[in-house]
Amino acid sequence: MRSIIKKFVTTFAAIALLVAPSAVLLPSAVHADIRNNVCRGVNSTGGADPDSTDCSEQDGESFSELAKKIINIFSIVVGTVSVIMIIIGG
């Protein structure tokens, strides 16, 4: 009888530990406005006009285009390094 209760408590605790973080993290991910948050963060550090609260699209590249270029360059670098490591490692 004790082993059954012990298994039940252990199972319940494991499920609670797995479910609890998702209950906390999911609502924040749903309400995230990444572009606006990055823009406000850059403005607050003085990367742009610190008094400006305007985070609308400006002339030039959008944030998504910049992110796409950074990811593509990073992928090329990682691919090149991995091929070199495979050649060296044999």
Side-chain angles (χ1 to χ4, degrees):
M1 183 68 177
R2 285 186 184 210
S3 66
I4 294 173
I5 293 173
K6 196 176 208 180
K7 284 182 184 180
F8 176 75
V9 169
T10 304
T11 304
F12 182 74
I15 291 172
L17 287 173
L18 292 173
V19 172
S22 65
V24 173
L25 296 176
L26 287 179
S28 64
V30 171
H31 298 294
D33 180 14
I34 194 75
R35 188 176 109 9
N36 192 24
N37 290 340
V38 168
C39 178
R40 287 183 8 214
V42 168
N43 286 344
S44 70
T45 60
D49 181 14
D51 298 327
S52 173
T53 57
D54 180 32
C55 290
S56 61
E57 280 292 320
Q58 298 174 355
D59 294 337
E61 294 184 28
S62 66
F63 178 73
S64 61
E65 291 295 321
L66 178 64
K68 190 184 294 185
K69 284 184 179 181
I70 291 172
I71 290 172
N72 284 339
I73 291 170
F74 185 70
S75 297
I76 291 169
V77 170
V78 168
T80 304
V81 170
S82 64
V83 168
I84 291 170
M85 293 303 292
I86 290 172
I87 291 172
I88 291 173

